Amino acid sequence: DVLPSDLSFGFSRIEVNSKYDTPDYCGGGEAEANLFFGKIPPWDKYVYGNYTLHLQYNINESAIDLITIMSPSLESYLEQL
């Protein structure tokens, strides 16, 4: 199967950022933790006209763990929750 934008789960965060430029939003990582969930994995979000691409990395940022694609309407709905 082909992943969106020719991504590979083997890409590190550095590889993604060099290939797709600076993300619109980013977070997580060692410096960020949640009282309930613990450490938040590092993530980047790229906003495009008709979808957003959210990439979550493993804790050392050497590979992508999760790719989420959302429509703007779903994202707006989730932000209201």
Side-chain angles (χ1 to χ4, degrees), residues 39-76:
K39 289 183 181 173
I40 297 171
W43 58 268
D44 293 326
K45 181 163 57 168
Y46 296 87
V47 178
Y48 299 102
N50 57 350
Y51 69 97
T52 60
L53 181 64
H54 184 274
L55 307 173
Q56 180 178 301
Y57 304 92
N58 61 13
I59 202 67
N60 63 5
E61 301 179 5
S62 64
I64 298 170
D65 277 348
L66 178 69
I67 298 173
T68 306
I69 301 170
M70 279 192 276
S71 71
S73 59
L74 177 60
E75 188 168 10
S76 295

Side-chain angles (χ1 to χ4, degrees), residues 7-45:
L7 288 171
S8 168
F9 281 100
F11 283 5
S12 70
R13 191 176 200 178
I14 291 171
E15 289 173 300
V16 170
N17 289 334
S18 68
K19 187 171 182 171
Y20 300 103
D21 208 10
T22 305
D24 295 288
Y25 303 95
C26 58
E30 291 293 328
E32 198 170 330
N34 178 289
L35 183 63
F36 184 72
F37 294 111
K39 289 183 181 173
I40 297 171
W43 58 268
D44 293 326
K45 181 163 57 168

